């Protein structure tokens, strides 16, 4: 397991322990994590705090060059909102934990020149499958359904 994906999974697990949705993300530049986060929609009653958005918020203001050179790790395929932020800041590469429980905007990202690698990690799939089975209404709200 890639240590950065493991860090994203650790974030997802933190979110689950807080009663939230188990999705985590880290942003890596020059071999180190510059931002990390997890889905906090439930915890903060937020409309926008998906895991990736929380990682961006945590990374904060960065020179354009840093974001362009960065790799974003996320435990789940990024939705339209998070893909928008990825495109806005010109993130060059996205590593996705899994896209079996939810298929985000991977084709949009690729069409705009972002390298998207999906690893289909069993831990990431398991976290979401279990969560969706237990709290389907929270999950549907997360993806606007
Ligand atoms: Zn999202």
């Amino acid at each position: 397991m890639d240590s950065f994906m493991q860090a994203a999974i650790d974030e997802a697990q933190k979110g689950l322990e807080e009663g939230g949705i188990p999705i985590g993300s880290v942003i890596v530049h020059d071999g180190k994590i510059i931002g990390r986060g997890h889905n906090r929609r439930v915890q903060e009653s937020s409309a926008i705090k998906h895991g990736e958005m929380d990682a961006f918020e945590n990374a904060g203001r960065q020179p354009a060059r840093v974001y362009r050179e960065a790799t974003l790790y996320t435990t789940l395929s990024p939705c339209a909102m998070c893909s928008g932020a990825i495109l806005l800041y010109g993130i060059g590469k996205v590593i996705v934990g899994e896209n079996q429980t939810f298929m985000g905007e991977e084709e949009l990202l690729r069409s705009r020149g972002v390298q998207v690698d999906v690893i289909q990690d069993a831990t990431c799939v398991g976290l979401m499958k279990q969560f969706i089975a237990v709290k389907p209404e929270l999950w549907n709200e997360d993806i606007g359904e």
Side-chain angles (χ1 to χ4, degrees):
M1 169 66 64
D2 184 311
S3 70
F4 295 128
M5 185 54 78
Q6 185 58 57
I9 291 170
D10 291 346
E11 285 290 329
Q13 260 148 359
K14 208 181 290 179
L16 188 64
E17 284 158 21
E18 293 168 0
I21 300 167
I23 304 169
S25 177
V26 298
I27 299 172
V28 175
H29 180 259
D30 229 356
K32 67 174 206 289
I33 294 173
I34 60 168
R36 60 174 67 226
H38 53 269
N39 188 304
R40 297 181 198 264
R41 274 196 337 101
V42 174
Q43 296 91 316
E44 298 184 10
S45 200
S46 167
I48 60 170
K49 284 275 187 85
H50 281 189
E52 302 92 321
M53 302 297 280
D54 194 41
F56 273 115
E57 181 79 348
N58 180 246
R61 291 176 61 194
Q62 297 286 343
R65 176 188 61 83
V66 170
Y67 275 134
R68 276 198 304 270
E69 293 171 357
T71 298
L72 183 144
Y73 289 75
T74 178
T75 56
L76 182 66
S77 187
C79 77
M81 173 175 68
C82 299
S83 294
I86 287 164
L87 292 175
L88 174 64
Y89 290 110
I91 300 289
K93 187 173 176 182
V94 176
I95 313 282
V96 175
E98 64 108 348
N99 64 10
Q100 291 176 15
T101 63
F102 175 76
M103 175 57 86
E105 300 292 336
E106 294 173 15
E107 284 316 310
L108 170 67
L109 291 171
R110 289 193 182 102
S111 78
R112 296 278 297 268
V114 181
Q115 184 185 335
V116 181
D117 294 347
V118 183
I119 61 174
Q120 302 297 14
D121 175 70
T123 303
C124 295
V125 175
L127 274 167
M128 284 310 295
K129 274 202 172 143
Q130 193 178 351
F131 181 81
I132 292 167
V134 176
K135 294 181 175 167
E137 67 292 342
L138 264 183
W139 170 240
N140 287 337
E141 190 186 315
D142 209 65
I143 53 174
E145 285 176 6

